[in-house]
Amino acid sequence: MALSRREFLKASAAAVAFAAAGASVLNPKVSEAGDAGIKWGKAPCRFCGTGCGVLVGVKGGKIVATKGDPAAPVNRGLNCIKGYFLSKVLYGKDRLTKPLIRKGDKMVEASWDEAMTLIASKFKESIAKHGPDSVAMYGSGQWTVFEGYAALKLFKGGIGTNNIEPNARLCMASAVTGFMTTFASDEPMGCYDDLDLGDTYFLWGANMAECHPVLFSRMIDNRLKNPDVRIIDFGTRRTRTSQMADQYVRFNPQTDLALLNAIAHVIIKEKLYDEKFIKKHVVFKKGKENIGYGLEDKFKFTDDPKPISFDDYKKFLEKYTPEYASKLSGVPAAKIVELARLYADKKRKVNSLWTMGFNQHVRGTWVNNLVYNVHLLTGKISRPGENPMSLTGQPSACGTAREVGTFTHRLPADMVVTNPEHRAKAAEIWGIDVKRIPDKPTYNATEMFRALDRGDIKVLWSQVTNPFQSLPHLNRYRKGARKGDGRFVIVSDIYPTKSTEVADVILPSASWVEKEGFFGNAERRGQQWFKMVDAPGEAKSDLWQTMELARRLGHGNLFPYKYAEKEIFEEYRKFTVGGKDLAPYEAYVKARGLRWPVVNGKETLWRYAEGHDPYVKAGEGVKFYKNKKDDGRAVIWARPYEPAAESPDKQYPFWLCTGRVLEHWHTGTMTGRVPEIKRAYPAAVCEMHPDDAKRMGIKNLQKVKITSRRGTIILPVDLNGRGKAEKGNIFVAFFDETKLINELCIDAYCPISGEPDYKKCAVKVEKA
Ligand SMILES: Nc1nc2c(c(=O)[nH]1)N[C@H]1C(S)=C(S)[C@@H](COP(=O)(O)OP(=O)(O)OC[C@H]3O[C@@H](n4cnc5c(=O)[nH]c(N)nc54)[C@H](O)[C@@H]3O)O[C@H]1N2
Ligand SMILES: Nc1nc2c(c(=O)[nH]1)N[C@H]1C(S)=C(S)[C@@H](COP(=O)(O)OP(=O)(O)OC[C@H]3O[C@@H](n4cnc5c(=O)[nH]c(N)nc54)[C@H](O)[C@@H]3O)O[C@H]1N2
Ligand code: SF4
Ligand SMILES: [Mo]
């Protein structure tokens, strides 16, 4: 158990792949004496929301090596396997180097001028015939801040449509609505230092060991130094994280809602709550119930929050006895009581961590609210070492998707299009007539692709994302894209993908250090980097592509920049002054990232906390000042347990959960092109419990046919793999483009956040 941080990373991250690859951990070029002729530059890692700092070694116009940046506070010189192989992800043999235009069934090389002329003409034609809401941009939490900002400005402030969404809708949307409904601000109060300082860590289905390995290693390091540290892994599946935890607590999918309410029930019944904190800092509310699943096209939902009293909330919780929650979740009642007491233990600093188990959930907003409830009841929040922490997935899901606000309903810095003052502020900074910005949101990501399928959206451009592999209910949306009748799909990518397969125009893009960039990670840390190498062939940055479309549509005046990256940043920074306070661009050039708000040159570690947050006054202690409506208090929500959109039944008796493995990044386009990674984890498998397999006469590695109401695939069964499925559950990762598990996933979503539930649908499994 007592592995150090380095040992853990070596054992879990590197070892599998490196053993298979027969390679040593460090790229030999790095350790060569003097690194002959290699020039090093700093950048954040291309991959996960951890935001590790790396040093990028360049020689002869190519990236020849990368290494963990010892000066980076996030990772202090460490990387996981994806970080180690960064030098190879951009050098797959089939990098896209020229624009391609569809001619019948063939994609034909074209010049940039031809491609952009065609794209601009399709935009103009569609806008003229069907209005601005017939064109759309689908972007990414892997966009740089400049790219996201430019796209937002062009679509909302130029074209005049709110048809812009990021893939982060599939990822962080429930975290966002969780933050907004509880604190009226989309930001974590804590930071990664909490991983070093806390005593108890509750993980809620977050597979940190594989998905945030360097952060996990920080927590493990803390435990090594402080033997009293406890890690409790609540989960629906036994993962590498569970193996390293002190306790693994298995629960039935979706029942985290009941568990969290039961934990609150025990805390209240045993009077373990912090009465003073509640009186001073909390209000209670209740919203609508039986809120649906977003399965119908154009599904619309509005919550209707009503204030309630502490007593009303207590009454609401009466039903959630440990016994009742135990029946639903499968967690023994005594265990629930024990863990509730551990949550409330006044002598321990307590943290909760979660990722997609909470967010990809048809009640994702609610379950985010419920975990905050527990921290608010116990006052264990906004204190060094003691916080709820929503882990982000992508490298700039926070920076670009959330803070820049590249969602249909949003504007930069937590502003929304429905608020006239917010629109006025954006119009002023953008120098446009406020009427240009439409006041109604259009589609969330799923609805955007439904609109394309129906033909309400005609022209759709995707950048830095691979939707035709990563959307749920994929069959519908893949077919929808190719229905013709004026539909026109543009895909900017660096490799051929399942999305370029359905595109009418493919634009070859520059990635990562082939351009200047800025990402914002999960602890509010902004990180800047410079361009270090040229992109291959004619590939160009997404920023250039968006500004070129703007110019051709007559919106060039929105982008009058000489040094676009820096000027865009400084323009965007105006939105953040007096709230999220980004520092001047130059400060990021010098630093290994800074955590906003940066006020008087000082970064902020803990939000809402006196002595840390520059906006909290002396004597206030903790102040949730963003929630002006509720007098600077946070909201405890009465949110019930409601079942998943689809649960196992006689015909489809298994739960299907989907997600990730350590080695691969999402749809595998980049990691799949690194030979060492490919060898280490070549193809998707179906994790299944040995008892289920035995009952059905299925042997290890035997092929099975998995079928949902939406699709079928065939995969080998893995009875003793990396992750271990619980009885009645199977798990499949979604990196393998030859096995589109997303065809089986349901496109039900949380009605408040619009985030789909990739973690739960019903399937049957048969011998193939
Ligand atoms: N190696 C690697 N790392 C990554 C990524 C990657 O592609 N590869 N992607 C990044 C991104 S964008 C993201 S979003 C994160 C995702 O990071 P995670 O969310 O940690 O990983 P997933 O594999 O998506 O989620 C699988 C877990 O969901 C939990 N789960 C299933 N059903 C439920 C439920 O009903 N309730 C709860 N509470 N939990 C449940 C299970 O316990 C399961 O282990 O990883 C980031 N890091
Ligand atoms: N079944 C299932 N599906 C899921 C999930 C799940 O848990 N289960 N999780 C969801 C979540 S949380 C997420 S975040 C999404 C991720 O889903 P996607 O965003 O669709 O997946 P990626 O593989 O990250 O796609 C990024 C694409 O950008 C390309 N690329 C790399 N750099 C650049 C660049 O600089 N410019 C351009 N233009 N292209 C570039 C890559 O080659 C790749 O094709 O998947 C969602 N889908
Ligand atoms: S933990 Fe995330 S940011 Fe760090 S090296 Fe690995 S993939 Fe990159
Ligand atoms: Mo994600």
Side-chain angles (χ1 to χ4, degrees):
M1 185 63 71
L3 283 187
S4 79
R5 190 166 178 221
R6 272 168 208 281
E7 282 161 354
F8 159 74
L9 281 174
K10 232 172 113 185
S12 70
V16 192
F18 287 111
S24 70
V25 168
L26 280 180
N27 185 328
K29 290 206 175 73
V30 181
S31 34
E32 266 169 25
D35 296 342
I38 299 179
K39 274 178 86 177
W40 297 93
K42 62 140 188 151
C45 171
R46 167 69 189 71
F47 293 111
C48 84
T50 298
C52 292
V54 295
L55 293 170
V56 184
V58 175
K59 193 177 173 179
K62 282 210 144 196
I63 309 166
V64 291
T66 59
K67 54 183 171 186
D69 183 351
V74 170
N75 54 311
R76 301 162 197 156
L78 298 178
N79 277 158
C80 79
I81 179 174
K82 291 179 297 308
Y84 281 124
F85 280 114
L86 274 166
S87 63
K88 295 195 173 184
V89 297
L90 303 183
Y91 295 133
K93 286 192 196 81
D94 53 348
R95 260 306 280 271
L96 295 167
T97 55
K98 273 191 175 279
L100 300 166
I101 292 178
R102 181 176 293 278
K103 298 262 156 72
D105 286 343
K106 282 213 183 90
M107 297 307 289
V108 180
E109 284 186 3
S111 68
W112 273 102
D113 186 52
E114 284 169 296
M116 292 311 299
T117 305
L118 177 63
I119 292 169
S121 75
K122 291 288 177 187
F123 267 88
K124 281 185 196 157
E125 187 188 321
S126 186
I127 293 166
K129 266 203 210 152
H130 312 286
D133 284 347
S134 68
V135 301
M137 172 63 91
Y138 183 63
S140 176
Q142 298 165 60
W143 253 338
T144 66
V145 160
F146 326 126
E147 291 164 345
Y149 183 85
L152 180 83
K153 190 177 182 187
L154 171 60
F155 276 71
K156 302 206 171 196
I159 295 171
T161 175
N162 284 322
N163 280 353
I164 176 168
E165 276 279 293
N167 61 357
R169 178 74 77 173
L170 315 176
C171 178
M172 297 313 300
S174 302
V176 174
T177 45
F179 274 121
M180 292 307 287
T181 47
T182 302
F183 305 102
S185 179
D186 176 20
E187 58 185 282
M189 48 289 306
C191 63
Y192 297 163
D193 297 55
D194 294 331
L195 298 168
D196 314 327
L197 301 173
D199 300 310
T200 312
Y201 296 89
F202 289 98
L203 313 183
W204 284 94
N207 185 7
M208 277 180 86
E210 294 199 67
C211 293
H212 295 90
V214 167
L215 295 183
F216 192 67
S217 76
R218 262 175 93 155
M219 198 167 67
I220 296 290
D221 239 19
N222 177 4
R223 185 174 64 185
L224 197 71
K225 289 188 198 120
N226 307 295
D228 246 8
V229 167
R230 291 286 170 276
I231 301 171
I232 293 98
D233 178 39
F234 281 102
T236 63
R237 165 185 171 240
R238 209 178 278 271
T239 62
R240 186 167 275 164
T241 308
S242 326
Q243 287 165 33
M244 301 284 290
D246 296 280
Q247 282 192 52
Y248 164 62
V249 184
R250 182 205 73 83
F251 64 94
N252 296 326
Q254 186 80 4
T255 64
D256 36 17
L257 296 160
L259 274 174
L260 280 157
N261 275 331
I263 287 170
H265 173 106
V266 174
I267 288 173
I268 284 177
K269 197 171 150 217
E270 301 193 356
K271 298 212 165 21
L272 303 174
Y273 52 89
D274 183 337
E275 192 146 16
K276 249 170 72 193
F277 187 92
I278 294 173
K279 277 209 176 113
K280 213 167 145 198
H281 301 298
V282 169
V283 293
F284 296 86
K285 286 188 191 175
K286 191 174 170 54
K288 280 189 190 160
E289 300 194 351
N290 299 313
I291 64 179
Y293 298 104
L295 280 163
E296 317 84 56
D297 276 34
K298 302 191 202 174
F299 178 86
K300 281 264 178 318
F301 171 81
T302 38
D303 206 2
D304 184 20
K306 297 262 190 314
I308 56 169
S309 66
F310 193 8
D311 281 338
D312 294 334
Y313 174 64
K314 287 181 189 163
K315 259 182 235 133
F316 163 83
L317 282 181
E318 268 169 20
K319 171 172 152 190
Y320 293 95
T321 59
E323 292 69 29
Y324 175 65
S326 173
K327 234 192 252 160
L328 285 169
S329 67
V331 180
K335 181 54 80 186
I336 298 174
V337 174
E338 177 197 320
L339 293 176
R341 289 176 186 158
L342 188 58
Y343 247 118
D345 188 339
K346 292 203 166 50
K347 292 191 289 300
R348 298 178 69 83
K349 296 199 195 99
V350 178
N351 297 274
S352 305
L353 296 138
W354 65 96
T355 324
M356 290 310 112
F358 270 2
N359 296 350
Q360 294 173 344
H361 194 303
V362 285
R363 297 294 177 262
T365 309
W366 289 6
V367 76
N368 273 269
N369 291 149
L370 292 182
V371 77
Y372 293 132
N373 285 358
V374 175
H375 283 266
L376 289 167
L377 283 171
T378 53
K380 291 178 177 289
I381 189 164
S382 284
R383 293 187 187 155
E386 176 149 75
N387 282 294
M389 178 57 155
S390 151
L391 296 165
T392 26
Q394 298 176 90
S396 203
C398 285
T400 308
R402 295 162 62 183
E403 288 152 34
V404 172
T406 50
F407 293 81
T408 184
H409 62 298
R410 285 181 95 161
L411 290 165
D414 279 356
M415 300 199 303
V416 287
V417 296
T418 42
N419 183 321
E421 283 167 35
H422 295 178
R423 287 199 308 280
K425 180 166 180 184
E428 192 198 319
I429 293 176
W430 291 344
I432 58 166
D433 184 346
V434 66
K435 288 197 209 87
R436 184 99 315 242
I437 308 170
D439 61 358
K440 284 191 189 62
T442 52
Y443 307 111
N444 67 42
T446 308
E447 293 289 356
M448 184 182 264
F449 286 87
R450 287 177 182 173
L452 179 68
D453 177 44
R454 290 194 307 272
D456 293 342
I457 287 176
K458 297 283 186 199
V459 180
L460 184 139
W461 187 349
S462 85
Q463 292 186 342
V464 212
T465 176
N466 187 5
F468 296 100
Q469 181 169 345
S470 61
L471 287 167
H473 196 176
L474 198 55
N475 277 324
R476 174 174 178 194
Y477 304 115
R478 285 184 66 81
K479 276 188 211 124
R482 297 261 23 105
K483 272 185 178 167
D485 193 25
R487 288 177 188 75
F488 193 79
V489 175
I490 305 136
V491 175
S492 298
D493 207 293
I494 64 172
Y495 289 117
T497 67
K498 293 310 280 183
S499 298
T500 61
E501 223 172 76
V502 302
D504 296 285
V505 175
I506 301 170
L507 298 176
S509 302
S511 186
W512 195 43
V513 297
E514 294 166 350
K515 58 194 177 190
E516 189 163 331
F518 192 102
F519 283 161
N521 82 353
E523 60 164 355
R524 294 177 270 108
R525 183 186 296 277
Q527 306 197 70
Q528 182 274 355
W529 74 92
F530 286 116
K531 177 179 168 177
M532 298 178 206
V533 293
D534 285 332
E538 294 173 25
K540 285 185 187 293
S541 76
D542 300 275
L543 176 62
W544 181 89
Q545 297 170 28
T546 299
M547 292 197 300
E548 183 59 18
L549 176 69
R551 197 176 65 78
R552 288 168 185 260
L553 295 181
H555 299 301
N557 58 321
L558 292 176
F559 305 93
Y561 314 119
K562 287 200 185 75
Y563 177 0
E565 290 84 352
K566 186 175 171 184
E567 288 173 58
I568 284 179
F569 188 85
E570 289 301 338
E571 182 182 314
Y572 163 51
R573 195 161 82 84
K574 289 186 196 157
F575 283 95
T576 71
V577 174
K580 296 194 191 277
D581 299 274
L582 294 175
Y585 197 62
E586 287 308 319
Y588 296 98
V589 169
K590 289 188 208 119
R592 294 310 208 257
L594 293 168
R595 284 168 282 190
W596 58 260
V598 185
V599 176
N600 298 328
K602 219 177 127 232
E603 55 172 351
T604 302
L605 274 64
W606 290 281
R607 269 315 231 178
Y608 313 129
E610 183 182 336
H612 297 284
D613 188 319
Y615 295 103
V616 176
K617 294 188 203 93
E620 279 183 331
V622 167
K623 186 82 183 172
F624 299 109
Y625 56 88
K626 292 282 180 111
N627 195 7
K628 294 198 186 84
K629 244 199 287 180
D630 294 307
D631 202 20
R633 290 154 185 264
V635 183
I636 285 186
W637 285 92
R639 304 288 204 190
Y641 161 81
E642 285 181 9
E646 197 177 69
S647 301
D649 53 22
K650 265 210 179 115
Q651 206 185 349
Y652 297 97
F654 282 91
W655 286 106
L656 166 67
C657 175
T658 64
R660 297 156 171 80
V661 294
L662 172 77
E663 292 82 351
H664 285 290
W665 179 250
H666 295 159
T667 65
T669 61
M670 292 177 277
T671 44
R673 282 172 173 85
V674 176
E676 292 86 344
I677 291 183
K678 182 86 185 158
R679 259 176 275 153
Y681 212 117
V685 291
C686 168
E687 285 176 11
M688 189 182 221
H689 194 280
D691 290 357
D692 285 330
K694 198 169 164 196
R695 183 168 48 78
M696 295 166 67
I698 295 167
K699 293 200 184 67
N700 197 26
L701 300 180
Q702 188 174 343
K703 288 206 167 134
V704 290
K705 187 166 125 190
I706 312 166
T707 308
S708 79
R709 290 183 176 84
R710 295 154 294 279
T712 292
I713 59 168
I714 293 177
L715 282 175
V717 153
D718 195 350
L719 298 179
N720 192 23
R722 176 83 55 82
K724 305 212 172 6
E726 296 293 348
K727 272 185 222 169
N729 293 254
I730 61 168
F731 176 87
V732 180
F734 73 105
F735 67 85
D736 187 342
E737 68 169 12
T738 67
K739 301 275 161 26
L740 296 178
I741 188 64
N742 285 39
E743 292 188 344
L744 279 64
C745 296
I746 191 165
D747 56 347
Y749 56 75
C750 166
I752 302 175
S753 72
E755 177 161 344
D757 190 334
Y758 292 101
K759 298 291 180 254
K760 292 163 230 95
C761 70
V763 294
K764 63 180 167 196
V765 181
E766 301 155 297
K767 287 187 201 170

